[in-house]
Amino acid sequence: MEKTQKPEEVIFNEDLHFEHQQWRSELAFWEDELKSFNNRLSELVTRWTDKTVLAELEHYQNEFILHGGVIDDLQETIEQHETRIAAQTKTGQDTLDALLVKRHLEFRNRMETQRQIYADLKKAFFKFLSRYM
């Protein structure tokens, strides 16, 4: 029995650009949420003097700062990839080479992982808010 070969998937620059646009929107939304969450923290700081509560507030403040840094890193990586796509498009190439596609797929995994980390952080923060707001 002859084994049929699966045709290689062709990935076009415009498809990657579209996915980058989706990620940019998601990252911008996260940034807005973090601003809102930090405003909530500011409100709580004025209401509480209990050291345990204040320690939790500081924990979330640090988490939000860390997540903001991750967002910046992700945005920078998208920009770098977009620059490479633009350079290829100028040369008339519409498909990416294997290395760039591999990097894109790795980045997609990073986004998925970060999406889960952020969802877990939000869930924990909302539980915290429900106790102290």
Side-chain angles (χ1 to χ4, degrees), residues 111-122:
M111 280 296 295
E112 289 172 6
T113 299
Q114 196 57 36
R115 197 174 285 128
Q116 187 59 54
I117 290 168
Y118 185 59
D120 292 344
L121 173 61
K122 281 174 46 173

Side-chain angles (χ1 to χ4, degrees), residues 28-83:
F29 181 75
W30 291 352
E31 281 183 318
D32 285 344
E33 278 190 323
L34 287 178
K35 288 175 191 168
S36 173
F37 297 161
N38 280 311
N39 289 338
R40 286 280 181 233
L41 288 177
S42 295
E43 289 174 29
L44 286 171
V45 164
T46 63
R47 293 184 191 179
W48 290 91
T49 57
D50 181 89
K51 289 182 189 218
T52 305
V53 176
L54 293 176
E56 286 189 73
L57 285 170
E58 185 177 358
H59 163 75
Y60 284 108
Q61 183 181 37
N62 290 335
E63 288 293 320
F64 297 156
I65 290 168
L66 289 172
H67 193 72
V70 169
I71 290 171
D72 290 343
D73 290 345
L74 293 171
Q75 289 170 329
E76 186 176 320
T77 302
I78 290 170
E79 287 307 313
Q80 290 169 355
H81 203 168
E82 281 291 309
T83 300

